[in-house]
């Protein structure tokens, strides 16, 4: 049933006694019904464009500007979309370890952990190492990752970025198996 038919259906039966062709109410319903159909299509298009998951990529910089999150250098469009979706979670937990982890995961890394250094050296109470690895679409520029960490870390903390690269392979020493990982740690 179309909008004009539906609007005509809603009229009281006393107004429908004359046939559709001669009825002025039918003409009114057909004009208004076409307008309502166009309005419905426009509203559905605007709704789709306003959602981050389904909006066109041309609107992502506008939404990023509203949220104070510009697109990073070398960032894939889907990674930028995912980072914009996670903006609320990142802002809500900023200044905490879960906030740092959420910010790094929004960059595409799957395995992220924070290792506070006060556990091994009590004089380094404000320092931590962020271990990152995994992910299929990630940002590899260490300066950009460190910049994102610095935006969400506590002001008094020093967070060092460490990238863990795990290569599958076994080293056999008799009956003992050791899994090897190469660690790259640099303070940016």
């Amino acid at each position: 049933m179309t909008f004009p038919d539906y609007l005509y259906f809603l009229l009281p039966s006393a107004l429908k006694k004359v046939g559709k062709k001669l009825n002025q109410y039918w003409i009114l319903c057909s004009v208004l019904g076409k307008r309502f159909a166009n309005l419905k299509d426009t509203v559905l298009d605007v709704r789709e464009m306003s959602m981050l998951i389904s909006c066109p990529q041309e609107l992502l910089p506008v939404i990023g500007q509203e949220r104070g999150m510009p697109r990073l250098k070398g960032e894939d469009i889907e990674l930028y979309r995912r980072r914009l979706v996670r903006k609320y979670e990142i802002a809500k937990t900023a200044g905490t370890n879960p906030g740092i982890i959420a910010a790094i995961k929004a960059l595409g890394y799957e395995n992220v952990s924070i290792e506070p250094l006060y556990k091994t050296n009590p004089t380094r109470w404000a320092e931590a190492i962020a271990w990152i690895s995994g992910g299929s679409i990630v940002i590899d520029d260490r300066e950009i990752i460190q910049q994102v960490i610095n935006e969400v870390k506590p002001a008094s903390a020093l967070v060092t970025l460490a990238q863990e690269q795990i290569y599958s392979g076994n080293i056999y020493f008799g009956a003992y198996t050791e899994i090897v990982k190469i660690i790259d740690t640099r303070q940016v």
Side-chain angles (χ1 to χ4, degrees), residues 121-132:
N121 186 354
T123 60
R124 299 175 76 182
W125 58 270
E127 296 181 39
I129 295 178
W131 292 94
I132 61 173

Side-chain angles (χ1 to χ4, degrees), residues 32-183:
L32 290 178
K34 289 176 185 173
R35 297 286 176 127
F36 282 142
N38 290 338
L39 179 65
K40 181 190 101 173
D41 293 339
T42 305
V43 166
L44 291 177
D45 287 344
V46 168
R47 182 182 72 172
E48 185 176 324
M49 287 183 197
S50 67
M51 297 196 188
L52 271 173
I53 300 298
S54 60
C55 76
Q57 68 181 17
E58 293 82 21
L59 286 179
L60 287 178
V62 174
I63 296 172
Q65 184 180 10
E66 288 175 353
R67 296 182 181 199
M69 194 176 247
R71 188 171 176 188
L72 300 173
K73 185 180 81 174
E75 187 173 26
D76 183 60
I77 196 73
E78 289 306 315
L79 190 59
Y80 184 46
R81 189 182 304 265
R82 185 176 4 171
R83 200 165 58 95
L84 285 173
V85 167
R86 292 187 176 182
K87 172 63 176 168
Y88 175 74
E89 176 188 353
I90 294 168
K92 184 174 75 171
T93 58
T96 64
N97 285 347
I100 296 170
I101 291 171
I104 296 173
K105 283 188 175 183
L107 294 176
Y109 290 95
E110 293 174 359
N111 304 322
V112 180
S113 63
I114 305 290
E115 180 183 320
L117 294 180
Y118 70 85
K119 291 182 178 179
T120 57
N121 186 354
T123 60
R124 299 175 76 182
W125 58 270
E127 296 181 39
I129 295 178
W131 292 94
I132 61 173
S133 67
S136 57
I137 304 173
V138 296
I139 293 181
D140 289 333
D141 192 355
R142 295 179 67 88
E143 285 79 22
I144 291 177
I145 299 170
Q146 191 68 42
Q147 175 190 352
V148 169
I149 291 173
N150 288 338
E151 288 174 1
V152 296
K153 74 174 182 65
S156 62
L158 172 65
V159 179
T160 305
L161 181 62
Q163 192 164 9
E164 182 178 17
Q165 298 175 348
I166 300 175
Y167 296 99
S168 60
N170 297 323
I171 300 174
Y172 295 100
F173 297 104
Y176 180 73
T177 302
E178 178 71 27
I179 297 176
V180 179
K181 60 181 169 180
I182 298 172
I183 300 170

